Structures are given as structure tokens and as C-alpha cells.
Amino acid sequence: MLHAFHSNWTRPFFVRNPRGSYAIEPFELLTTALSALTWRRENGTIRMICDSEARRYYQSLGLSFLWDGGIHPLLDAIPDDVNAMAFWAAGKLYALSAMPSPCVMIDTDLICWKPLAPLLNGLDAAAVHREDIMPDIYPGPAAFRCTQGFDFDRFDWSVQPFNTALAYFGEDSFRRYYTDTAIDFIRRSPQADDVLTYMVFAEQRLLAMCARQRSIRSAALSDLPSLFGGEQQGYFTHVWGFKQQMRDDPLLYEDFCRRCAARLSRDFPEAAAQIAAIPTLSPYFTA
């Protein structure tokens, strides 16, 4: 049995929307449900590590049942001086720092349709795929002018970053080393002025760099051509690259949500009945 977790840190939302009421878009809620329920069916337990605002929101919708490992508001403890604008996914790293290995970190927009354990044999760490080193996304150390006192020279900058939409950590000392290193970078960058490059360095590039430095057994479980070309034998669906297309096209948005609702109704009829009672989601469950 594999132990997994989702995470949700709402502070970045409120930094961008200081007078807003917290809410998650319908397609995000539907993929969250599919991600959690499919994981439980195929792989093991899953919990949600979040903050109190996120917990209240999920409870208000009646979605707490999705996570058989419970909802844990551990991210309330993230220091106030963490730059939530630049490090919008820092919650994942703080959540991982609290989750002992072996564990699997999964984004709420990634669905693992099959048992993962056969892909993990002999590995200390793994991620869903590698990333190309594109300079505008993964620049060199000179780009991090706002970071003070972090030793960039100890790392191999030629290693391809890992995409952490799904990441496995089988060796606990490495999990601690990676999260300690990434959080140290975040804390040394309070004035980070780029909303992409700092975050993906901390979360994705450092994972690959730390794995190379520690010489652990690490691997990518798939690759981008396989993920988007259907050659990865139906293991993973990652919605990330499709989100803006849906937001730009209401018909595409509705079609996607209806397909998610249909899959939930087919695979998890009892859960689907509860999810369909949520007012923002109920239209997608109707004929």
C-alpha cells in the first residue's frame, strides 16, 4: 500500500485576491475527486495537507470524505514571511516536509489510473517526467539575484528537472534533504521577483539536482510525448496544460466537466451522488 497526499495552501489566492472569497473552479474540484478516489482504488491511502481555510472550504462542500487519511491543516504553520506570490506552490514542499517516506506527492489535477508500485521497484525517488531546460523557465544561477547566501555551485546544472505533479519519495533521509534544501532556498529569497522561475527551481529543478548530488536511484516514470500521445499505457492524466484552453472556451470547459462527472458516476457511483449535490457541480451530472 502506498501512502499519498494532496496539498492546498490558500495564502497565494488571498495575496492575489485580498478581498475575495475562497473558491475552487468546478473542473478543479472534479479532477481533485477523480485523483483522490482513483488513487484509493488503485494504490492506497491519501490525505489532504492544507491550511485551515482550505479545510473549511472542503468541509463546507461535503468533500472531506475524498481523503481517507483525513484533512490536516498543517500549512497554517508556514512562516508569514514566505513570499506567497513568487512561491505559490511552497505548500507542496512544506507538506512533503511533514510526510514521512515512503510517500507519494500528487497534484490535485493529476490522476494515476493504475497501480504505481510496479514502476517504483528499486527506486529511491521518482517523478512523473523530466522537463527540458528552457532558459526562460529554468535559467542559470545568475537569474536568482534576490536570493541571499544560497550555495548554487554545489549542484549540477546540466541535469534535467523533474516535474513534480506526481513524485515518489522512498528514502526518508533524501526526502528531508530535498525539502530542507528547497525550503532554505525559499527562505533566502523573500524578495523573489519572478512568479515562475523561483518556484520551479525550488520545487522541480532542485529535486533533480539533489538526487544527482546524493547519487540516489531516481527516475522519470514517463515523458511528455508519451503523456500527451497516449503511449504511457493509460497510467497518468495531468490536466495542467489544458486549463487555460478550458478557461478560454466555455464549450470545452463544460465538455471536460461533463466527462469527469460521467467517469465519477461510472467508477464511483456513491461518491458521485454526494459530489453531484454540490450546487456548482450538479449541472455537470445532469443529462
Side-chain angles (χ1 to χ4, degrees), residues 1-196:
M1 178 181 289
L2 288 169
H3 300 280
F5 68 92
H6 285 151
S7 63
N8 184 355
W9 183 42
T10 64
R11 193 187 302 169
F13 173 87
F14 289 106
V15 169
R16 296 190 302 268
N17 305 277
R19 295 181 179 85
S21 297
Y22 185 72
I24 297 174
E25 290 187 72
F27 78 83
E28 294 271 19
L29 289 173
L30 291 166
T31 56
T32 296
L34 274 172
S35 180
L37 294 169
T38 305
W39 179 266
R40 290 167 56 183
R41 183 187 65 191
E42 300 293 337
N43 286 289
T45 65
I46 188 166
R47 66 185 67 182
M48 167 60 77
I49 299 177
C50 59
D51 53 26
S52 293
E53 181 65 32
R55 180 174 66 171
R56 282 192 294 271
Y57 181 71
Y58 291 125
Q59 289 174 338
S60 74
L61 297 179
L63 289 176
S64 301
F65 75 93
L66 292 176
W67 299 281
D68 60 329
I71 300 180
H72 306 271
L74 305 180
L75 303 188
D76 289 342
I78 295 180
D80 291 341
D81 62 352
V82 169
N83 183 339
M85 185 67 79
F87 294 106
W88 38 271
K92 288 177 63 173
L93 296 168
Y94 278 90
L96 179 60
S97 72
M99 187 79 176
S101 295
C103 67
V104 179
M105 178 171 69
I106 312 177
D107 285 358
T108 56
D109 64 357
L110 186 136
I111 303 161
C112 181
W113 299 105
K114 294 182 179 182
L116 192 64
L119 302 183
L120 304 176
N121 289 333
L123 295 177
D124 299 314
V128 65
H129 63 81
R130 294 273 187 182
E131 299 261 312
D132 292 331
I133 302 177
M134 295 180 284
D136 56 333
I137 299 174
Y138 294 105
F144 301 106
R145 295 179 297 274
C146 298
T147 305
Q148 301 298 318
F150 187 82
D151 182 8
F152 292 103
D153 293 336
R154 58 180 153 150
F155 296 112
D156 181 350
W157 289 76
S158 69
V159 62
Q160 286 182 281
F162 278 126
N163 184 287
T164 60
L166 180 147
Y168 164 73
F169 297 86
E171 209 282 313
D172 206 55
S173 64
F174 175 72
R175 176 194 62 83
R176 292 195 305 270
Y177 172 64
Y178 161 60
T179 55
D180 287 350
T181 303
I183 290 171
D184 179 56
F185 172 76
I186 289 171
R187 299 305 304 278
R188 292 178 182 275
S189 311
Q191 304 301 318
D193 56 358
D194 188 288
V195 298
L196 178 61

Side-chain angles (χ1 to χ4, degrees), residues 25-27 246-247 249-257 284:
E25 290 187 72
F27 78 83
M246 286 192 284
R247 291 178 179 127
D249 186 338
L251 293 178
L252 197 63
Y253 193 118
E254 180 171 356
D255 178 69
F256 178 83
C257 290
Y284 304 112

Side-chain angles (χ1 to χ4, degrees), residues 254-276:
E254 180 171 356
D255 178 69
F256 178 83
C257 290
R258 285 189 175 278
R259 286 189 289 121
C260 287
R263 187 64 180 258
L264 285 164
S265 297
R266 189 192 81 181
D267 290 5
F268 310 102
E270 292 184 10
Q274 293 177 258
I275 296 166

